[in-house]
């Protein structure tokens, strides 16, 4: 591709000319890299000179359009021009600034609000007046008063809603974090899209409340904040918005939740669903505990006191998302959760990954996490929720290490038609791959995972690791594990992995039984050691007793 690049004067400079140019640019940029805005030390750093606006976008080929960067900052950009690269770095810096701020603060969130604070700090209220089916908005732009008129449209729902559609300057926009608290962190492709001039297809949504006595009002964006923020970063001046006028905010909030969950036409991949639900829960939950005395409130009182009755079942759903999401992305402690490397999180069925998201959720996550709101006060629960997450990540990682990782499960070989390939040629599928594949089949995993949970509960109970004996039943991971406990759990995982059943290649009866997708069959196979519908035991059971025995064997 290199030869397609238009030639630039930069390519034909002598070494001396280039050195002199580097010096001038370095001085003009106050010693900072054009892209990342960090210091360039000419004695230490390798540098590049490149075009701010690409020649192919009609950028001039002279010093006004040349900028100095760290070599790595320029090289990382691929075909992008420097101006866009600088914007993307700026975006990353902002995300970092707001999401890594002060561990103790609850307000680690990067939304449209923070983007507006950074890029458009002096925003204004607008003057607004409606009459005869029109609304007039007025504001000051570049020191000049400006008024624009929009036609109102009426939507005959219950209650009737009035709105208008228009291109509204970012200078007049604010973010409604009450209705839409979701973080925007994965914005780079969209920024690039708008930077390259693609149009906004659907409007963002906003509200305006016009109070007749004052005539001043704020336009608050509550949906489509990704496209809003992306265009802000792409340095567009206006946003395409539908603005609801004097609308019932609670009604709108409810409508918006429903649109994103129950009514969503395009179902979010489940992991994104968890993220969205987790964010929605977190926002409301943190608002609740922000001013509360943690010794007087609990997860349970949050549901009974804070969440409106009609939204309770929705919020119970978000609560599950919230508990799972931190574990999945490893957002707790220092451990990186490895399970997602072997989990299909986008498609319902995979040809590559041994675990589907659905299987993972219904086994390791839903069985191990206490998904009911706890009644103990939050000053205790917060600690145990954290322990629970850390413990679950440890457990998942041990499972990954013993069963899937280090080439045991071969992602290239995948999961497509494994049993069929096996029938054709038993040597085609390596033993460790076959075991990992079968262990992760949903019907089988539902059974052995329950047994693993019971084995862990029994083991920890015998060692009195639970603060309250009653926790062992519903809250298997609410315990301070010792190093030896993990070693024993590792032995359990090895025992599961090495059980004879997973490696069977030759006995046609057993191989046929293994391909069953019925939990009842798997319960026969693993708990009784019999083939489905038969009496005589063929194999040793893979139940909690077997796991505990394996764990305590030297
Ligand atoms: Zn740099």
């Amino acid at each position: 591709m290199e030869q397609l690049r238009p030639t630039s004067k930069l390519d034909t400079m002598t070494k001396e000319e280039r050195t002199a140019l580097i010096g001038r640019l370095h001085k003009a940029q106050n010693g900072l890299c054009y892209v990342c805005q960090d210091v360039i030390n000419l004695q230490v750093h390798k540098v590049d000179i490149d075009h701010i606006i690409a020649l192919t976008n009609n950028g001039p080929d002279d010093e006004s359009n040349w900028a100095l960067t760290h070599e790595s900052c320029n090289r990382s950009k691929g075909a992008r021009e420097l101006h866009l690269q600088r914007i993307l770095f700026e975006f990353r810096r902002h995300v970092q600034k707001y999401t890594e701020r002060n561990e103790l603060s609850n307000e680690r969130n990067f939304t449209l609000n923070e983007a507006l604070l950074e890029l458009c700090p002096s925003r204004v209220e607008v003057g607004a007046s409606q009459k005869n089916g029109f609304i007039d908005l007025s504001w000051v732009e570049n020191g000049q008063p400006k008024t624009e008129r929009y036609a109102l449209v009426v939507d005959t729902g219950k209650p009737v809603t009035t709105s208008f559609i228009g291109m509204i300057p970012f200078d007049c926009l604010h973010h409604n974090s009450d209705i839409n608290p979701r973080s925007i962190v994965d914005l780079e492709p969209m920024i690039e899209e708008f930077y390259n001039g693609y149009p906004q297809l659907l409007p963002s949504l906003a509200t305006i409340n016009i109070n007749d006595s004052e005539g001043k009002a704020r336009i608050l964006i509550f949906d489509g904040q990704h496209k809003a923020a992306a265009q802000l970063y792409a340095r567009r001046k206006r946003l395409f918005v539908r603005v609801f006028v004097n609308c019932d905010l609670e009604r709108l909030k409810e409508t918006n939740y429903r649109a994103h969950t129950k009514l969503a036409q395009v179902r979010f991949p489940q992991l994104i669903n968890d993220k969205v639900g987790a964010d929605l829960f977190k926002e409301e939950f943190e608002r609740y505990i922000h001013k509360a005395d943690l010794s007087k409130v609990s997860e349970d009182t949050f549901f009974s006191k804070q969440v409106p009755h009609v939204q309770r079942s929705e919020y119970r759903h978000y609560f599950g998302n919230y508990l799972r999401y931190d574990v999945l992305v490893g957002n707790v402690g220092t451990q990186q959760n490895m399970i997602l490397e072997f989990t299909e999180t986008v498609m319902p069925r995979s040809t590559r990954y041994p675990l589907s998201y659905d299987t993972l959720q219904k086994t390791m996550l839903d069985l191990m996490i206490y998904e009911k709101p706890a009644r103990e006060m939050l000053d205790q629960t917060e600690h145990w929720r954290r322990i629970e997450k850390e413990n679950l990540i440890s457990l998942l990682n041990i499972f990954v290490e013993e069963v899937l990782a280090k080439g045991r499960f071969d992602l290239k070989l995948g999961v497509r038609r494994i049993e069929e390939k096996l029938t054709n040629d038993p040597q085609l599928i390596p033993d460790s791959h076959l075991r990992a594949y079968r262990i992760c089949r949903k019907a089988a995993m539902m059974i052995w995972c329950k047994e693993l949970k019971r084995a862990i509960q029994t083991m920890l109970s015998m060692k009195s690791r639970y603060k309250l004996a009653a926790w062992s039943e519903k809250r298997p991971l609410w315990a301070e594990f010792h190093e030896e406990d993990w070693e024993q759990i590792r032995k359990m995982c090895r025992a599961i992995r090495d059980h004879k059943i997973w490696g069977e290649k030759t006995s046609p009866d057993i191989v046929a039984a293994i391909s069953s997708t019925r939990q009842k069959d798997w319960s026969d196979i693993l708990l009784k050691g019999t083939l489905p519908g038969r009496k005589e035991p063929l194999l040793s059971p893979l139940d909690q007793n077997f796991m505990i025995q394996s764990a305590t064997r030297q």
Side-chain angles (χ1 to χ4, degrees):
M1 297 303 282
E2 197 61 22
Q3 68 273 21
L4 293 180
R5 199 173 140 241
T7 45
S8 156
K9 287 177 202 150
L10 289 170
D11 303 331
T12 54
M13 265 178 200
T14 66
K15 204 163 176 247
E16 290 71 25
E17 284 170 338
R18 192 178 151 85
T19 308
L21 176 61
I22 288 174
R24 289 198 301 280
L25 291 174
H26 191 254
K27 196 164 166 221
Q29 293 171 206
N30 295 317
L32 303 180
C33 168
Y34 178 83
V35 169
C36 74
Q37 299 286 301
D38 278 342
V39 171
I40 294 181
N41 182 335
L42 292 175
Q43 264 69 54
V44 178
H45 296 131
K46 285 190 171 173
V47 295
D48 263 353
I49 304 171
D50 209 339
H51 297 89
I52 296 171
I53 305 295
L55 295 181
T56 46
N57 283 339
N58 301 321
D61 192 22
D62 61 38
E63 211 162 321
S64 70
N65 189 39
W66 292 336
L68 186 68
T69 70
H70 293 110
E71 187 186 79
S72 53
C73 288
N74 186 28
R75 299 281 154 95
S76 66
K77 75 182 173 48
R80 291 185 199 120
E81 59 189 23
L82 286 185
H83 186 226
L84 173 58
Q85 183 73 343
R86 177 183 167 113
I87 285 174
L88 295 177
F89 268 68
E90 176 186 45
F91 169 69
R92 273 175 231 169
R93 253 198 331 274
H94 292 166
V95 170
Q96 231 168 33
K97 175 172 165 189
Y98 288 96
T99 55
E100 288 175 6
R101 186 178 57 181
N102 187 2
E103 277 286 317
L104 298 170
S105 156
N106 285 330
E107 311 201 343
R108 287 183 296 137
N109 209 3
F110 184 77
T111 67
L112 176 60
N113 183 48
E114 284 68 36
L116 283 166
L117 279 176
E118 289 291 336
L119 296 185
C120 211
S122 55
R123 278 160 298 123
V124 293
E125 296 190 314
V126 292
S129 66
Q130 11 168 5
K131 57 174 174 257
N132 306 332
F134 288 93
I135 185 166
D136 287 334
L137 296 186
S138 49
W139 66 92
V140 176
E141 193 173 296
N142 302 324
Q144 300 297 316
K146 205 164 165 82
T147 299
E148 286 181 6
R149 169 165 292 189
Y150 304 93
L152 291 168
V153 289
V154 175
D155 186 335
T156 54
K158 251 194 287 175
V160 168
T161 49
T162 306
S163 62
F164 65 91
I165 284 180
M167 299 294 299
I168 314 279
F170 278 105
D171 283 333
C172 303
L173 296 177
H174 304 260
H175 179 232
N176 185 334
S177 53
D178 182 45
I179 302 188
N180 192 342
R182 270 191 287 163
S183 266
I184 42 171
V185 289
D186 38 8
L187 211 57
E188 291 176 29
M190 214 191 261
I191 294 174
E192 188 158 1
E193 190 84 347
F194 285 120
Y195 183 91
N196 289 328
Y198 291 97
Q200 180 182 340
L201 293 176
L202 293 169
S204 293
L205 304 178
T207 58
I208 188 168
N209 262 345
I210 302 169
N211 178 337
D212 284 335
S213 62
E214 292 178 25
K216 286 269 177 192
R218 284 188 164 204
I219 302 176
L220 295 165
I221 302 283
F222 71 88
D223 192 79
Q225 59 157 337
H226 284 87
K227 45 185 166 264
Q231 290 183 85
L232 193 55
Y233 278 93
R235 301 306 194 265
R236 302 245 179 134
K237 295 289 173 229
R238 290 184 175 224
L239 183 71
F240 180 40
V241 197
R242 178 181 183 191
V243 186
F244 290 88
V245 182
N246 292 352
C247 192
D248 178 344
L249 282 185
E250 280 308 310
R251 182 75 168 173
L252 216 49
K253 189 170 181 174
E254 195 191 324
T255 310
N256 191 46
Y257 280 162
R258 298 174 74 80
H260 278 288
T261 53
K262 198 173 175 178
L263 305 176
Q265 286 165 332
V266 181
R267 276 180 64 87
F268 283 139
Q270 278 163 305
L271 188 64
I272 302 295
N273 218 352
D274 271 349
K275 177 176 162 45
V276 174
D279 280 350
L280 286 169
F281 181 84
K282 223 180 209 160
E283 170 80 8
E284 199 63 28
F285 188 60
E286 284 175 356
R287 205 204 317 268
Y288 176 62
I289 63 176
H290 182 60
K291 292 193 196 95
D293 177 348
L294 295 190
S295 66
K296 297 211 171 70
V297 295
S298 67
E299 291 170 354
D300 190 63
T301 62
F302 168 72
F303 279 94
S304 58
K305 303 253 167 69
Q306 174 86 353
V307 181
H309 198 265
V310 291
Q311 286 180 357
R312 248 167 238 172
S313 75
E314 238 150 321
Y315 266 82
R316 279 297 289 270
H317 202 77
Y318 299 152
F319 186 47
N321 298 140
Y322 165 76
L323 295 173
R324 284 191 293 269
Y325 187 68
D326 273 354
V327 171
L328 286 173
V329 298
N331 206 357
V332 192
T334 52
Q335 283 200 81
Q336 187 62 45
N337 189 348
M338 300 185 289
I339 197 79
L340 289 188
E341 291 169 34
F342 296 93
T343 309
E344 174 62 65
T345 57
V346 180
M347 313 293 286
R349 273 165 198 279
S350 179
T351 55
R352 180 175 165 86
Y353 301 97
L355 280 165
S356 71
Y357 180 92
D358 186 53
T359 303
L360 179 64
Q361 184 190 329
K362 294 211 165 75
T363 57
M364 287 287 195
L365 303 178
D366 286 349
L367 287 175
M368 301 292 177
I369 297 174
Y370 180 58
E371 290 185 343
K372 284 207 181 115
R375 297 207 161 159
E376 291 81 2
M377 294 306 139
L378 273 178
D379 53 357
Q380 304 162 50
T381 316
E382 277 192 330
H383 169 74
W384 290 109
R385 283 295 186 194
R386 190 182 172 84
I387 296 281
E388 176 181 58
K389 287 173 188 170
E390 287 175 0
N391 283 344
L392 185 47
I393 293 175
S394 300
L395 172 61
L396 288 166
N397 281 350
I398 288 176
F399 173 70
V400 169
E401 280 163 19
E402 296 304 328
V403 178
L404 299 168
K406 299 178 210 130
R408 286 181 200 282
F409 183 88
D410 178 356
L411 288 168
K412 284 203 206 81
L413 195 50
V415 297
R416 217 171 115 80
R417 299 200 174 143
I418 291 290
E419 300 290 353
E420 197 181 308
K421 285 179 190 163
L422 197 69
T423 322
N424 297 339
D425 179 2
Q427 301 316 309
L428 212 61
I429 312 293
D431 180 64
S432 66
H433 185 86
L434 183 64
R435 285 173 182 274
Y437 162 74
R438 286 172 168 171
I439 286 170
C440 292
R441 298 277 310 279
K442 185 173 177 182
M445 192 155 167
M446 292 289 285
I447 303 292
W448 69 252
C449 208
K450 253 180 223 156
E451 293 302 303
L452 177 64
K453 173 188 169 183
R454 291 193 183 119
I456 292 173
Q457 287 165 329
T458 307
M459 182 188 82
L460 294 178
S461 292
M462 286 192 303
K463 299 180 182 184
S464 309
R465 295 275 195 263
Y466 293 106
K467 192 171 143 227
L468 296 172
W471 284 5
S472 96
E473 178 57 29
K474 297 272 166 54
R475 312 178 190 191
L477 301 182
W478 288 38
E480 310 269 3
F481 284 59
H482 295 197
E483 203 46 49
E484 59 166 75
D485 305 335
W486 290 122
E487 274 319 302
Q488 292 189 315
I489 288 172
R490 189 177 291 279
K491 285 183 184 171
M492 291 180 189
C493 288
R494 282 185 193 151
I496 295 168
R497 175 194 74 197
D498 294 337
H499 193 274
K500 190 166 175 288
I501 183 74
W502 313 119
E504 183 60 50
K505 288 183 176 180
T506 47
S507 157
D509 283 359
I510 301 183
V511 170
I514 288 174
S515 41
S516 169
T517 55
R518 296 171 54 195
Q519 270 190 62
K520 170 78 184 63
D521 292 347
W522 277 101
S523 151
D524 284 348
I525 298 169
L526 297 181
L527 304 185
K528 295 189 207 150
T530 61
L531 293 185
R534 306 254 201 99
K535 286 256 159 31
E536 66 281 14
L538 278 180
L539 310 143
S540 59
L542 180 52
D543 57 7
Q544 60 164 322
N545 294 328
F546 171 82
M547 293 178 196
I548 292 170
Q549 278 162 23
S550 311
T552 47
R553 205 172 294 141
Q554 282 308 306

